Amino acid sequence: MMNINIVCVGKLKEDYLRMACAEYEKRLGAFCRLKITELTPARLPEEPNPSQISAALVDEGKRILACIKPGEAVFTLCIEGK
C-alpha cells in the first residue's frame, strides 16, 4: 500500500474544511496510508520587512525538509498555484 505524507504550514480553521479533510482521509484510507503533518507558521511582526519575511520562509522550509525522508518523491504546491 502506498504511503502519502502531506506536510503543510498552517492549520485548517474552518469547521467545514476540517470535516471535508476528514472525509477525504477516510475515503483515501482504502487505497493508501495518509498522514497529514500541519506545521506552525513562522511568526512575523505586524509589518514585516523583506528580511524578516525571508527568514520566516527559510525557517518554514527547514522544518518542511525535516519531515521528508531520503528517497521520497516530493511534490510542492503553493497557494498562488505556481
Side-chain angles (χ1 to χ4, degrees):
M1 187 174 281
M2 181 183 295
N3 292 321
I4 298 176
N5 298 320
I6 298 175
V7 179
C8 54
V9 177
K11 297 183 183 251
L12 294 176
K13 293 180 178 116
E14 294 82 3
D15 283 337
Y16 70 95
L17 290 175
R18 281 197 307 270
M19 289 177 8
C21 185
E23 179 66 23
Y24 278 108
E25 285 183 68
K26 183 176 83 174
R27 291 181 185 197
L28 288 170
F31 306 102
C32 66
R33 286 185 208 100
L34 179 65
K35 177 184 172 190
I36 299 175
T37 303
E38 297 175 322
L39 302 176
T40 305
R43 294 207 179 255
L44 288 170
E46 194 66 34
E47 294 183 25
N49 62 43
S51 66
Q52 291 170 319
I53 294 171
S54 179
L57 290 173
V58 167
D59 174 57
E60 289 176 355
K62 286 179 182 177
R63 290 188 289 128
I64 291 170
L65 290 174
C67 296
I68 300 169
K69 296 176 186 163
E72 290 183 331
V74 177
F75 302 90
T76 59
L77 306 172
C78 70
I79 198 165
E80 293 88 8
K82 296 179 183 176

